Amino acid sequence: MKYNLRKLSLLGMGVCMMFSVWAQDYPTLNEQSQRLRSLANSSDLASLKSLTKTLGGKDIWMLTLGKGDVENKPAMAVVGGVEGSHLLGVEMAIRFAEDVVKNNSQALDNTTFYVFPNMSPDAYEQYFASLKWERSGNAKETDDDRDGKNGEDPFEDLNGDGIITMMRVEDVTGDWVTHPADDRVMIKADKGEGEKGKYHYFTEGRDNDKDGKFNEDGPGGIHFNKNLTYEYPYFVAGSGEHSVSELENRALLDELYTKFNIYGFFTFGPGNNLSSPWKYNRAGASKRVVTSVLNEDAGLNALASKAYNDIVGMKDAPASGAQGGDFFQWAYFHFGRMSFGTPGWWAPMVEAQEGETANKDKNREVNFLRWAAQEGLSNYFVEWTEIQHPDFPGQKVEVGGIAPFKMMNPPISMIDNAAQKHNEFILKLASMQSDVQLVNLKTEAVGKGLTRVTVDLYNPGTLPTHSQMGTRSKWLRRIKVEVKLGNGQEIVSGTKIQMFSSLDGDESRQLTWLVKGKGSLQIEAGAAHAGTDQISVNLK
């Protein structure tokens, strides 16, 4: 069927009504805020504050979960919404906070959690707009094609269905073909195998500025996940004029640089080093600006990955979506903390049904369409529909494709198990954290008013006190051991203050002093992110 663009308004109204039911699954920003406030107001284990407001007037929330002296307990940060169209990550982060407070408050005896549920609220809101498209940027006006004009070539809803999908144009000069297992899916022609393209493939819209590109300068905004310092993508649309240029990025980093107790990050987003861990690369690790996980940290990542796969049990993960300027990599390479990330969910691989062609290359879109059909889902694909396009007179142009938000955000009714398993894993990870202790204290009188004091500095945790990258960080504090003397006491042999760059899991170091005097003294050891301890010593 062929439609004229001017005759599609009534059709669009009907399709928008159909999609409005789908759009109510995930909570709105107001509903998110209400849940966060309710959690903070209902329990003394949680406190809530807004770090800043975005240019769109949205709060960047920070939820602190803890008991007692929360700033001086080892802490893990849980971050969602690093990618604006990843609604699931926001929901998973909020559910984690709710689960800890309501069902697992004992975890707060030894660990503080800082939860940043949604770092891209301006983009998140696009899910609820009258025109739906997968947005990643904030509300800043941008000139993405650098022609001196802002937003002159946005998306257009050519088939009037209220969502932005894709557009394919039949043309022998194109580089695209349909997938052999499902002709609804478009792939690049494999010219190395002699395959010839049959289509051009664009996002849905017009070439408003007549530069041969489509939709390259709409309300793009700056992406939170492209605006960090690690491998910052200069002069790339969505990255900003410089790294950490945006209010939300600056506010988060300003906060993190005051939290010396954070030892690790768990990020819900496209970056994934849990299904498959980062691999050590000697060349990348040897550079002045390191681009590979360091060797010892690769081992820690592998340990966490095994625990993740054992607990979560999801197989056939898509390739990691880590990119330059993202938060997940910044937390490790530039902040020196252990950093773990996962999308939290993906459509499982399904077998071809009777009458279907095998998906030999395991194409993710083909698999998603088959999985969604088997699950009986609706509105996940817009059938290719021919339209008349003013930029392609006399050519066959079709609009269609997978509906926005669908591939990375399952129906909210389907995420209970995934949320529960990820909560379990994050708590498992926290149970492995370091815990600096002073054990095996011995005192021995050696004559002339002298006492030999011996104690073991011990980390009973599975994880080290510092990642290998953290030992190189200017911001991750070293382990400090200090002898606090009383009146008339003097250290004859040994050091009053000692600093240690790291203590591995299940590692101990014996310390000894020769002290002159009577009475008692105190020995304190640790760092906020690694655990602290103190003991009282009675001199002989």
Side-chain angles (χ1 to χ4, degrees):
M1 183 179 294
K2 180 179 289 190
Y3 291 104
N4 186 294
L5 295 181
R6 291 175 294 180
K7 298 180 179 179
L8 287 169
S9 58
L10 291 176
L11 173 65
M13 291 175 61
V15 178
C16 286
M17 291 176 64
M18 175 182 70
F19 274 92
S20 67
V21 177
W22 160 54
Q24 300 307 310
D25 289 348
Y26 284 85
T28 65
L29 291 175
N30 285 337
E31 290 167 343
Q32 287 178 24
S33 297
Q34 289 170 9
R35 286 168 66 184
L36 296 172
R37 290 191 182 99
S38 175
L39 190 64
N41 292 335
S42 65
S43 173
D44 58 4
L45 301 177
S47 61
L48 181 68
K49 76 172 183 178
S50 175
L51 298 183
T52 190
K53 284 187 181 293
T54 67
L55 288 175
K58 314 300 188 303
D59 285 294
I60 298 296
W61 293 115
M62 170 184 171
L63 192 66
T64 301
L65 311 179
K67 296 178 181 178
D69 189 3
V70 296
E71 300 291 324
N72 287 303
K73 286 183 180 179
M76 179 174 289
V78 177
V79 186
V82 296
E83 184 64 37
S85 56
H86 190 218
L87 315 176
L88 175 67
V90 178
E91 179 66 17
M92 297 279 263
I94 295 175
R95 288 196 184 197
F96 170 75
E98 292 171 337
D99 181 63
V100 168
V101 171
K102 296 175 183 178
N103 305 313
N104 289 287
S105 61
Q106 72 281 357
L108 303 178
D109 293 341
N110 301 308
T111 307
T112 296
F113 292 99
Y114 300 112
V115 182
F116 306 90
N118 191 352
M119 295 309 304
S120 305
D122 291 345
Y124 181 99
E125 193 176 40
Q126 197 68 41
Y127 180 77
F128 303 95
S130 57
L131 181 61
K132 295 172 177 58
W133 47 277
E134 290 188 0
R135 181 172 181 168
S136 295
N138 61 15
K140 177 174 284 187
E141 291 189 359
T142 56
D143 177 17
D144 289 339
D145 58 356
R146 297 183 178 269
D147 63 355
K149 300 177 183 178
N150 292 341
E152 83 284 355
D153 196 357
F155 298 112
E156 282 96 6
D157 183 13
L158 301 182
N159 62 348
D161 62 0
I163 62 175
I164 297 299
T165 51
M166 301 299 292
M167 179 171 74
R168 64 186 186 186
V169 183
E170 281 193 11
D171 194 319
V172 294
T173 67
D175 295 325
W176 294 79
V177 294
T178 58
H179 194 281
D182 192 328
D183 61 8
R184 296 175 295 176
V185 173
M186 305 299 296
I187 57 174
K188 278 285 189 75
D190 187 352
K191 295 185 179 181
E193 295 294 326
E195 193 172 36
K196 296 181 180 180
K198 297 180 180 179
Y199 295 90
H200 290 298
Y201 194 48
F202 308 102
T203 51
E204 184 179 354
R206 301 189 186 97
D207 180 13
N208 294 284
D209 54 3
K210 305 304 178 184
D211 63 355
K213 300 176 182 178
F214 287 77
N215 317 130
E216 81 283 1
D217 196 14
I222 307 303
H223 304 198
F224 172 84
N225 220 30
K226 284 186 179 180
N227 194 235
L228 280 300
T229 56
Y230 176 69
E231 294 194 334
Y232 172 69
Y234 292 93
F235 310 118
V236 171
S239 65
E241 292 302 312
H242 57 80
S243 60
V244 201
S245 63
E246 302 311 292
L247 293 171
E248 49 268 46
N249 294 75
R250 172 67 67 180
L252 178 61
L253 267 59
D254 282 348
E255 187 69 30
L256 294 179
Y257 276 110
T258 70
K259 302 300 182 191
F260 289 98
N261 59 331
I262 294 178
Y263 68 87
F265 289 84
F266 187 95
T267 303
F268 287 108
N272 186 355
N273 66 344
L274 285 172
S275 298
S276 298
W278 279 334
K279 302 297 184 184
Y280 169 70
N281 178 277
R282 184 174 181 178
S286 301
K287 294 178 180 178
R288 183 180 66 84
V289 179
V290 176
T291 58
S292 164
V293 63
L294 300 182
N295 193 32
E296 293 175 13
D297 295 338
L300 296 176
N301 193 169
L303 180 68
S305 176
K306 182 180 184 306
Y308 178 82
N309 288 316
D310 287 345
I311 293 172
V312 175
M314 296 195 302
K315 300 179 180 180
D316 302 310
S320 176
Q323 61 185 7
D326 69 347
F327 178 79
F328 157 67
Q329 294 184 100
W330 171 87
Y332 174 74
F333 287 100
H334 281 188
F335 202 46
R337 271 57 168 184
M338 299 173 194
S339 181
F340 305 106
T342 175
W345 179 89
W346 51 88
M349 282 290 171
V350 297
E351 297 294 329
Q353 300 297 300
E354 185 177 353
E356 292 180 334
T357 303
N359 183 16
K360 293 181 179 180
D361 61 351
K362 295 185 177 181
N363 180 280
R364 306 302 302 196
E365 292 189 4
V366 170
N367 182 74
F368 171 76
L369 293 176
R370 292 180 175 180
W371 170 82
Q374 290 181 22
E375 292 293 325
L377 304 184
S378 61
N379 304 334
Y380 57 87
F381 187 83
V382 176
E383 296 296 337
W384 291 106
T385 303
E386 187 175 351
I387 64 168
Q388 293 178 355
H389 199 295
D391 295 321
F392 301 100
Q395 291 181 268
K396 183 178 180 180
V397 180
E398 297 171 288
V399 171
I402 294 175
F405 301 103
K406 291 293 190 176
M407 277 193 68
M408 66 177 72
N409 302 294
I412 202 166
S413 61
M414 297 181 66
I415 72 171
D416 287 348
N417 184 63
Q420 179 183 348
K421 294 296 186 182
H422 281 82
N423 294 348
E424 181 181 346
F425 171 73
I426 296 172
L427 294 177
K428 172 68 174 179
L429 203 58
S431 74
M432 298 164 65
Q433 72 189 26
S434 66
D435 181 21
V436 172
Q437 296 179 5
L438 294 166
V439 299
N440 299 329
L441 173 67
K442 296 179 182 178
T443 58
E444 178 186 2
V446 295
K448 298 182 179 181
L450 298 176
T451 302
R452 179 178 290 111
V453 179
T454 303
V455 69
D456 289 334
L457 181 69
Y458 177 53
N459 172 19
T462 303
L463 300 177
T465 59
H466 298 66
S467 65
Q468 189 179 359
M469 185 67 78
T471 63
R472 302 168 59 158
S473 171
K474 300 295 185 182
W475 286 94
L476 198 58
R477 290 174 171 172
R478 293 182 291 170
I479 303 299
K480 177 182 178 181
V481 180
E482 180 178 4
V483 179
K484 295 193 171 183
L485 300 171
N487 292 332
Q489 297 172 352
E490 176 187 356
I491 296 177
V492 177
S493 176
T495 305
K496 186 175 187 296
I497 297 178
Q498 299 181 59
M499 307 295 289
F500 298 90
S501 59
S502 183
L503 198 63
D504 288 340
D506 196 32
E507 181 185 8
S508 65
R509 298 187 187 185
Q510 191 172 81
L511 309 175
T512 185
W513 301 267
L514 198 59
V515 182
K516 183 178 181 180
K518 296 294 183 180
S520 64
L521 57 81
Q522 300 290 318
I523 303 176
E524 296 183 354
H529 75 276
T532 58
D533 196 12
Q534 64 177 20
I535 57 173
S536 179
V537 181
N538 295 317
L539 300 177
K540 298 292 187 179

